[in-house]
Amino acid sequence: MARGHPPRPRARTARRRAASGRSPVGGGRSVNPFPVPGLVSVVMLVRNRLEYTRRALASLARAPGDVEVVVVDNGSDDGTAEHLAGLDLGHPLVVLRHEDDRGGSERRNVGAAAARGEFLLFLDNDVVLDDPGVVEVLAAELAADPGLAAVSPLLLYPGEGELVQCAGGGSTADGRIGSIGRGRPLGEEHRAHREQTWAPTAALMVRHASFRRVGGFDEAFDPVSLCEDVDLCCRLRADGERIRYVGSVAVRHFEGTTFNHVGHDKLPIWKRHMRVIRGRWADLFAAGPAHPPEDLEWAPVEKDYTDLDRPRVSVLADPAAASADLSFFASDRVLATAGPADVRVVLVGAGAGVVPAVPGVRVVGVADVDLGARLSAARAHGAPWALGDGTRLVETVPAEGVVVLAPDPDAVLTALRRGLPVLLDKHAVADLPLLVEAARRAPGRCAVDLPLAHHPELTALGKAITEGRAGVPTSFAVRLDRPEVAGRDVVAELGPDVVDAVERVLGAPVTGVREVVATRGRARAAVVSGGVTGTVEVGWGEPLCRVSVTGTAGAPAAELAAPPVSGAYVDFLGALRGGPAPLTDLDAVDGVFGVVQEWRAKAAALPAGGEPGR
């Protein structure tokens, strides 16, 4: 498949899109289709940091011309809301208050949807317009050239010296991106007007019609919005328009002070998003305007914003002593709030099933070869991306993990090579030796969704037996019933779960099956685990798992209700959030599937018979 083009969002007819108000990328908000000519709508996202917001808005108040300001407040609790309520800018002011922080892409799209202007100026709240004419100059640049989709000014660090923070966004032919001139003394070359690959949302003016046409910011990059500005600019360029750097005007940027959704370490997210950006736009970067690698080299800087009236930024005397990252992408764990971080997953083979809704987990993309199935899944999960190719989905939609619901080895291998954790539905375990070997060798980890994995009662029973506290088991019986699934073989459907349950209780692998009895809706077999012989039985019926072990203290027996969220899925999400939860690794349970295949083959070879004994 050709690279350099973004995935297509789920298709809709023009009538349905108009009726629903959903944009193709921007996650479901309409954008004003009749902007006011000449009006500039400043869209500013804020979350606390009132001292910066106050300075940014005061500088905007001096801007001449036809300007309105749309402030999107992402759950500030430091007096920002009260300050905005009593503010008179001299320009129309709209405040959109939210009680939570869902991410920069979504909330900038919300601001754009409320904006009335022909031009949208996305401005961070840590930017100060020393020159009040910046807004007019940028708007005039767009008005004079219909082929331009967006423009951005020179960004300087605050303080007495004129130190460049970003003289435009650049890229190299091999797919690297970066800010041009960062940490360099201001020179004549930084004052040029030139075409650029991308521009940062710290100060980015976009033609409203162009923003609407490409669907706004891709909300799959949320909740930590890194690279969404690069992606937006690339979509504008892929649509035939240009992005221009306007170095004749400058703003001051207190880099590294705005943030959203604290609790994330931004550096690994930045790297993950960069892989997505390169997968989508490598061809566009190579086409230029490309820069030599030295243009993108960053001079490490030291920032001191203790006194906002006298900020100090200087180049480090010894660049070799700098940490790996001193920029906007530095870790903000010191600011982290309590609670788990949000994670994003994509679903491959989405038509084969659904994943449970879990707070803090967002499905941002689905893939299925069947158009109807993937559109239905996209609607059910509110996913902004729906593709026919699972590999393409993994390559181009940012996510922390991949759930595979139907066999797609290429998508699994791609995810593992990219270092992403993969959760396989048991029906997606195809070409088992290939997947096991890939899981052993690749940086990513591959787990299997076995619902009873880590069930508290099974775990407690297994621990008591393996530690010898319950005596020595002499036999066991495990029976699992589930509601009938049309078209599914009962052994293939339930066999992995019941065999896995035996292994977790007895603490030893099941080595084979014998004495198989089966009908269409029920199957039973004798199995051996750790030298102990017992029976396993599966069938269609009311959902319940019954476990009993003889020869142990207390005659342990349990009736286990299926958990609302699979233990393996909880395990998988814990790993995505960086927790210590042990993934239900494919490598550790691959023997389960060998036993089930043997059981299924023996059951299929039996002549039609009566119901197994109860």
Side-chain angles (χ1 to χ4, degrees):
M1 178 176 290
R3 300 177 67 200
H5 300 283
R8 293 185 180 276
R10 55 184 181 270
R12 282 200 165 119
T13 64
R15 178 178 299 174
R16 287 188 66 188
R17 183 177 294 145
S20 66
R22 295 183 69 86
S23 60
V25 174
R29 271 161 297 282
S30 59
V31 180
N32 182 5
F34 303 110
V36 177
L39 175 64
V40 175
S41 296
V42 179
V43 178
M44 181 178 292
L45 185 66
V46 305
R47 184 172 187 268
N48 294 327
R49 303 297 198 266
L50 174 57
E51 64 275 20
Y52 294 98
T53 302
R54 184 183 290 116
R55 284 171 167 78
L57 292 176
S59 70
L60 272 173
R62 301 193 300 269
D66 200 1
V67 176
E68 71 168 3
V69 179
V70 179
V71 177
V72 184
D73 183 0
N74 262 12
S76 296
D77 57 7
D78 65 343
T80 293
E82 293 77 8
H83 175 74
L84 295 174
L87 189 61
D88 182 4
L89 283 180
H91 298 299
L93 173 64
V94 176
V95 178
L96 305 176
R97 168 73 182 176
H98 299 272
E99 297 303 321
D100 60 353
D101 177 11
R102 293 287 296 277
S105 294
E106 175 181 329
R107 293 292 159 79
R108 286 189 179 98
N109 286 338
V110 168
R116 300 179 300 119
E118 180 183 3
F119 308 117
L120 304 172
L121 174 56
F122 294 100
L123 201 68
D124 281 356
N125 70 326
D126 59 355
V127 168
V128 175
L129 281 63
D130 290 335
D131 177 1
V134 169
V135 178
E136 276 193 322
V137 170
L138 295 178
E141 196 85 11
L142 278 177
D145 188 344
L148 278 179
V151 292
S152 68
L154 168 66
L155 300 181
L156 297 173
Y157 282 110
E160 295 180 357
E162 292 190 313
L163 202 62
V164 174
Q165 190 263 309
C166 179
S171 65
T172 62
D174 62 355
R176 292 177 54 203
I177 66 169
S179 299
I180 296 172
R182 183 180 186 274
R184 310 294 180 186
L186 180 61
E188 190 61 32
E189 69 275 16
H190 302 129
R191 288 294 191 179
H193 287 208
R194 51 178 161 74
E195 304 302 300
Q196 60 181 336
T197 307
W198 65 279
T201 49
L204 173 65
M205 184 177 287
V206 185
R207 196 182 303 276
H208 200 150
S210 302
F211 184 83
R212 180 177 68 250
R213 186 169 55 252
V214 301
F217 292 103
D218 184 353
E219 294 173 13
F221 286 101
D222 286 342
V224 179
S225 301
L226 301 174
C227 298
E228 84 290 354
D229 43 11
V230 182
D231 179 71
L232 173 67
C233 290
C234 287
R235 279 188 280 115
L236 291 167
R237 292 181 60 214
D239 207 39
E241 296 186 288
R242 306 188 323 277
I243 314 293
R244 180 174 296 165
Y245 166 68
V246 182
S248 60
V249 289
V251 301
R252 300 275 178 173
H253 184 205
F254 287 79
E255 179 197 51
T257 62
T258 58
F259 68 99
N260 65 284
H261 211 91
V262 296
H264 293 268
D265 190 343
K266 292 179 181 176
L267 189 56
I269 296 173
W270 158 254
K271 291 178 179 178
R272 187 174 299 118
H273 287 193
M274 274 305 308
R275 288 196 294 267
V276 170
I277 289 295
R278 287 170 181 161
R280 288 185 182 181
W281 303 114
D283 292 349
L284 205 63
F285 292 154
H291 291 261
E294 54 268 25
D295 282 1
L296 274 56
E297 291 180 359
W298 288 5
V301 299
E302 189 171 37
K303 296 171 283 191
D304 182 358
Y305 301 154
T306 306
D307 184 350
L308 292 183
D309 292 323
R310 294 177 178 81
R312 292 181 295 177
V313 180
S314 58
V315 178
L316 288 180
D318 181 13
S323 63
D325 187 273
L326 295 175
S327 70
F328 174 78
F329 308 108
S331 170
D332 62 3
R333 284 198 183 280
V334 294
L335 303 172
T337 55
D342 282 1
V343 294
R344 300 159 297 179
V345 299
V346 293
L347 309 183
V348 176
V354 296
V355 297
V358 176
V361 178
R362 295 193 307 126
V363 176
V364 294
V366 298
D368 200 285
V369 293
D370 181 82
L371 175 63
R374 68 174 178 266
L375 294 183
S376 176
R379 286 191 292 270
H381 292 288
W385 292 109
L387 306 178
D389 185 339
T391 300
R392 185 68 171 153
L393 179 79
V394 173
E395 288 178 335
T396 56
V397 176
E400 278 69 54
V402 180
V403 178
V404 181
L405 299 168
D408 193 334
D410 288 342
V412 175
L413 295 177
T414 299
L416 293 176
R417 284 194 296 266
R418 295 171 75 87
L420 294 173
V422 178
L423 181 67
L424 288 172
D425 185 270
K426 57 196 172 188
H427 307 104
V429 181
D431 201 343
L432 186 60
L434 173 69
L435 295 181
V436 170
E437 183 62 23
R440 289 172 178 165
R441 298 167 62 93
R445 298 178 66 186
C446 191
V448 182
D449 189 3
L450 297 172
L452 296 174
H454 313 308
H455 192 292
E457 292 182 61
L458 273 185
T459 300
L461 179 57
K463 185 176 181 181
I465 291 175
T466 56
E467 292 179 354
R469 291 184 283 109
V472 179
T474 57
S475 66
F476 59 86
V478 181
R479 175 175 166 178
L480 177 65
D481 291 316
R482 289 284 182 271
E484 184 169 2
V485 180
R488 293 274 178 86
D489 177 271
V490 67
V491 177
E493 182 71 23
L494 305 179
D497 301 328
V498 72
V499 174
D500 179 62
V502 170
E503 295 191 349
R504 292 182 186 279
V505 170
L506 274 294
V510 171
T511 54
V513 294
R514 54 187 174 80
E515 301 175 12
V516 175
V517 182
T519 65
R520 187 196 69 81
R522 186 162 296 277
R524 187 178 63 214
V527 302
V528 178
S529 175
V532 180
T533 301
T535 61
V536 291
E537 184 174 349
V538 292
W540 306 129
E542 292 298 318
L544 198 64
C545 179
R546 299 171 180 85
V547 181
S548 62
V549 181
T550 58
T552 55
E559 291 191 349
L560 313 176
V565 179
S566 156
Y569 189 60
V570 172
D571 185 20
F572 173 69
L573 297 178
L576 298 190
R577 289 177 168 134
L583 278 174
T584 312
D585 286 311
L586 175 65
D587 193 15
V589 299
D590 68 320
V592 166
F593 292 92
V595 171
V596 171
Q597 289 170 1
E598 179 187 354
W599 186 7
R600 185 183 183 194
K602 289 183 177 180
L606 293 174
E611 186 79 5
R614 295 175 182 272

